[in-house]
């Protein structure tokens, strides 16, 4: 769901017309994990563009990880480590995440610390400390001069570790 705030009221926007009474159920922990990952995506995209000069294409969040796709040659092992250390350093430094609205066309604008401001309707945590930590699980080359980075962070990382533990336990029986 996309969000829009008008006069202090938060609206959840949907792609189809709704009629009659509507009920919405929000799964708080999944919503929080999504906000952690969306904030990480914004942070990682800025680092990938400003440091490595790679253009973000898209990303998606699953139950156990986030997959981010970029244009360009894949990162090498040293760059992967630098990326993970840089992201965790910024999380540790706890940059504030601010949301504002453009006065002309009312676009929702998001800014992390001193990084560039971007237009977005996604959910975000209020500051980077809420991401807790990020782990770059894997980087894979794809076709058409593209690559993906698979990450996990925050609460999602705990679920991922628990799931990996279950898989290892089942395999050892």
């Amino acid at each position: 769901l996309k969000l829009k705030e008008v006069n202090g009221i938060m609206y959840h926007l949907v792609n189809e017309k709704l009629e009659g009474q509507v009920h919405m159920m929000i799964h708080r922990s999944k919503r929080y994990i999504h906000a952690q990952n969306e904030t990480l995506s914004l942070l990682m995209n800025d680092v990938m563009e400003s440091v490595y000069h790679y253009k973000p294409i898209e990303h998606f969040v699953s139950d156990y990880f986030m997959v981010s796709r970029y244009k360009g040659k894949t990162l090498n092992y040293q760059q992967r480590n630098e990326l993970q250390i840089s992201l965790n350093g910024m999380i540790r430094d706890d940059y504030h995440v601010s949301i504002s609205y453009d006065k002309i066309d009312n676009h929702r604008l998001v800014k992390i610390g001193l990084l560039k401001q971007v237009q977005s309707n996604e959910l975000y945590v209020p500051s980077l400390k809420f991401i807790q930590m990020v782990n770059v699980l894997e980087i894979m080359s794809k076709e058409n001069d593209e690559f993906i980075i698979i990450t996990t962070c925050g609460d999602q990382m705990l679920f991922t570790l628990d799931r990996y533990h279950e898989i290892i336990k089942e395999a050892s029986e």
Side-chain angles (χ1 to χ4, degrees):
L1 292 175
K2 302 297 182 197
L3 300 175
K4 183 176 183 177
E5 183 181 357
V6 178
N7 298 326
I9 298 172
M10 190 62 67
Y11 292 92
H12 291 78
L13 307 176
V14 294
N15 293 329
E16 48 196 64
K17 185 177 179 180
L18 302 176
E19 295 182 24
Q21 190 172 11
V22 176
H23 295 277
M24 183 171 88
M25 183 170 19
I26 296 174
H27 192 291
R28 289 187 187 272
S29 64
K30 281 189 175 187
R31 185 178 173 105
Y32 185 67
I33 286 169
H34 188 81
Q36 287 175 315
N37 277 282
E38 288 299 335
T39 309
L40 172 61
S41 177
L42 198 63
L43 179 65
M44 190 162 68
N45 287 347
D46 192 277
V47 171
M48 292 298 290
E49 283 187 284
S50 63
V51 176
Y52 300 106
H53 310 290
Y54 291 131
K55 181 95 174 127
I57 299 171
E58 66 180 352
H59 72 278
F60 70 90
V61 179
S62 76
D63 287 343
Y64 298 104
F65 50 82
M66 177 174 69
V67 177
S68 304
R69 192 161 57 110
Y70 294 91
K71 186 74 175 162
K73 301 274 185 234
T74 189
L75 295 178
N76 63 38
Y77 185 75
Q78 180 180 346
Q79 291 170 320
R80 173 197 178 277
N81 289 339
E82 288 171 356
L83 175 64
Q84 184 167 280
I85 289 167
S86 295
L87 294 172
N88 281 306
M90 288 185 268
I91 292 167
R92 181 197 61 239
D93 292 345
D94 190 26
Y95 293 171
H96 178 72
V97 178
S98 61
I99 296 174
S100 60
Y101 291 86
D102 183 293
K103 294 185 189 304
I104 297 170
D105 49 19
N106 205 32
H107 288 296
R108 188 168 182 259
L109 305 171
V110 182
K111 185 169 176 27
I112 298 176
L114 300 174
L115 305 180
K116 71 179 180 183
Q117 184 169 289
V118 297
Q119 182 180 328
S120 176
N121 288 322
E122 295 294 341
L123 296 170
Y124 295 98
V125 293
S127 75
L128 296 188
K129 74 177 179 183
F130 292 95
I131 298 175
Q132 300 165 7
M133 183 178 195
V134 61
N135 185 7
V136 176
L137 297 171
E138 191 167 353
I139 298 178
M140 298 169 46
S141 293
K142 301 305 257 180
E143 297 175 354
N144 301 324
D145 199 31
E146 296 176 0
F147 66 97
I148 61 170
I149 300 176
I150 303 172
T151 56
T152 186
C153 71
D155 291 5
Q156 182 187 53
M157 187 185 302
L158 299 175
F159 298 135
T160 301
L161 291 173
D162 284 347
R163 181 65 186 133
Y164 283 175
H165 178 72
E166 289 172 15
I167 291 168
I168 291 169
K169 186 177 176 182
E170 288 172 11
S172 66
E173 292 176 347

